[in-house]
Amino acid sequence: MKQIHSYWAYIAILILLVAVVNAIIGLTQKKEFKDKDLRISLFALIVMHIQLLIGLGWYFMSPSYKAIKEIGMGEVMKESGSRLLAIEHPLMMILAIVFITIGWSKHKKKTTDKTKFKTIAIFYGIGLVFVLSRIPWDQWLGL
């Protein structure tokens, strides 16, 4: 399950990055918000939600979750590596999905191309920053 979560993360981050860059380009170049842009944003939303489901499945099987149950939250919070995997990473990923979902919902209510691109760029961009900020890079990249 951990491997699936890690491999799917490459896809999720790539698609999310594509959606953010697409929205920024559309906004700065004053493009029309077309079906292609809608599909890119929707695909990023779907891929990120799948990643969340895989991640939640892995979380409840992970050593981090078992450590919380065995030694308690206080002990897990004292060690930065354990805290990252048990608390910070899951929390920030959930917040990232929340922002991406809000961005998707808000963009549908916008009436101009500029505001659609802007909404996607801001909310998906915040989600991307949250994701990148709490990836356990040392484990993910095998450093």
Side-chain angles (χ1 to χ4, degrees):
M1 192 66 144
K2 182 181 178 184
Q3 286 182 324
I4 294 169
H5 182 61
S6 293
Y7 288 128
W8 191 261
Y10 288 109
I11 297 166
I13 291 170
L14 179 65
I15 298 299
L16 183 58
L17 182 63
V18 167
V20 171
V21 169
N22 182 65
I24 291 170
I25 290 170
L27 180 63
T28 58
Q29 295 182 0
K30 297 177 173 65
K31 292 186 173 187
E32 181 183 341
F33 194 88
K34 296 184 177 183
D35 284 344
K36 170 194 73 103
D37 305 305
L38 179 81
R39 285 187 177 87
I40 290 171
S41 301
L42 178 60
F43 195 57
L45 176 80
I46 292 168
V47 167
M48 291 303 295
H49 277 86
I50 292 170
Q51 177 67 356
L52 175 66
L53 293 174
I54 296 168
L56 287 172
W58 165 240
Y59 180 76
F60 290 109
M61 292 186 265
S62 72
S64 299
Y65 181 71
K66 291 174 184 161
I68 292 172
K69 288 174 38 178
E70 291 174 8
I71 64 174
M73 183 66 80
E75 291 300 314
V76 170
M77 293 297 282
K78 289 179 185 175
E79 205 272 300
S80 66
S82 297
R83 184 178 59 242
L84 173 65
L85 294 175
I87 307 301
E88 294 172 0
H89 176 76
L91 180 63
M92 290 303 282
M93 299 308 133
I94 290 168
L95 288 173
I97 299 294
V98 166
F99 273 95
I100 292 165
T101 304
I102 290 170
W104 173 258
S105 296
K106 284 186 158 295
H107 109 277
K108 293 190 300 183
K109 297 174 186 164
K110 302 299 181 186
T111 56
T112 66
D113 297 328
K114 179 182 177 181
T115 56
K116 287 177 184 269
F117 281 123
K118 185 176 180 181
T119 302
I120 294 291
I122 291 170
F123 284 92
Y124 280 45
I126 291 169
L128 180 61
V129 168
F130 282 5
V131 167
L132 295 176
S133 75
R134 287 296 170 252
I135 290 175
W137 292 104
D138 57 333
Q139 292 181 17
W140 198 42
L141 298 175
L143 302 174

